[in-house]
Amino acid sequence: MSEMSFEEMLEQSLKTIRTGEVVEGTVIDVKEDEIILNIGYKSDGIITRNEYTNTPNVDLTTVVSVGDTMEVKVLKVNDGEGQVLLTYKRLAAEKGSKRLEEAFNNNEVLKAKVDKVLDGGLSIVVDEARVFIPASLVSDSYEKNLAKYAGEEIEFVISEFNPKKRRIIGDRKQLLVAKKSELQKELFEKIKVGDVVEGTVKNVTDFGAFIDLGGADGLLHISEMSWGRVENPKKVFKVGDTVKVLIKEISGDKIALSLKFADTNPWLHAAEKYAVGTIVKGKAARMTDFGAFVELEAGVDALLHVSQISKEHVEKPADVLKVNQEITAKVVDFNAEEKKISLSIKALDEDSEEASDNAEEGTEE
């Protein structure tokens, strides 16, 4: 029986490998663009940069060190130069795909960083397996600009898993909807009409502002923004403002809000301030054919009837008065129940004339 040569004994001691086989190796050298592994075979294994990661231009010396052990997959037993071509990322992607399949079957919530922002959605890599979240499933409301999600870590579930078609779809929207529903339930359980709550302005329109109360939005209508008049809500509020509001009404899932707090109602002390006979100053707020409405303070208007503007005949208030003109007049009627105040410039002028006449009579005597 002939003795085996050293080379024959060494080769016999080394394992055999096949394309597609998963093997474990030890890193014996690292360059910027390739990793060399001892895989217990007669030839060393090579992992190129492209077979390590999908991240472009990564310096492999910053992510792998000599002595590290790695599990890899054989792509070619002989790459033409006597070396074994290996892949790390494809094996990782297979493991990642299996991980995503398990998450899909179990409806598991995953958390990962957004890898790329695309025209139609977000791309996320989980263990080298790629997940796509369409724009319609990114949020529970329309997102005009997805760029803000770049590099952000977000939570999502896998709503569709079809690796054969390379279709793995993520869904963030359903998590937000579920969370919002839970918060909404908690909110409606603790709030009631008359409560004062704090919220954040979410949107401002011509007719009012929507306030996020933490679980549901409430509408602060333009008519409830002040005891006085508000011409344009956008001049009063901006998105992101924090406001304290009064819950005026709850109807189903709709919440009506107000900033008209009872203790700030200007009519509380109006009877004393605007008693009949009081001389007041105000600003002409609006004109009608029958008179001018004068704003005495925010929330308190008085009517200056056309017949009370002057001793002379006035056809229309707009003929002698202008909006925003300051007006001094006498209170001639006050009705607390109907919140009505009547003014007269004519009566004030008559008082002045009477006082003047009395003064003249006194001088003559």
Side-chain angles (χ1 to χ4, degrees), residues 248-263:
K248 184 183 178 184
E249 185 182 350
I250 300 174
S251 178
D253 61 353
K254 291 182 172 58
I255 305 172
L257 305 174
S258 178
L259 283 176
K260 292 182 177 179
F261 299 102
D263 59 351

Side-chain angles (χ1 to χ4, degrees), residues 20 22 73 88-100 127-129:
V22 176
K73 190 173 188 178
Y88 173 79
K89 75 173 186 182
R90 299 191 201 189
L91 180 61
E94 288 175 9
K95 290 181 179 179
S97 183
K98 186 171 180 59
R99 168 86 178 87
L100 294 176
D127 297 334
E128 295 297 327

Side-chain angles (χ1 to χ4, degrees), residues 10 38 61 127 151 190 205 322:
L10 180 62
N38 177 357
T61 62
D127 297 334
K190 68 181 182 181
T205 69
K322 295 179 181 177

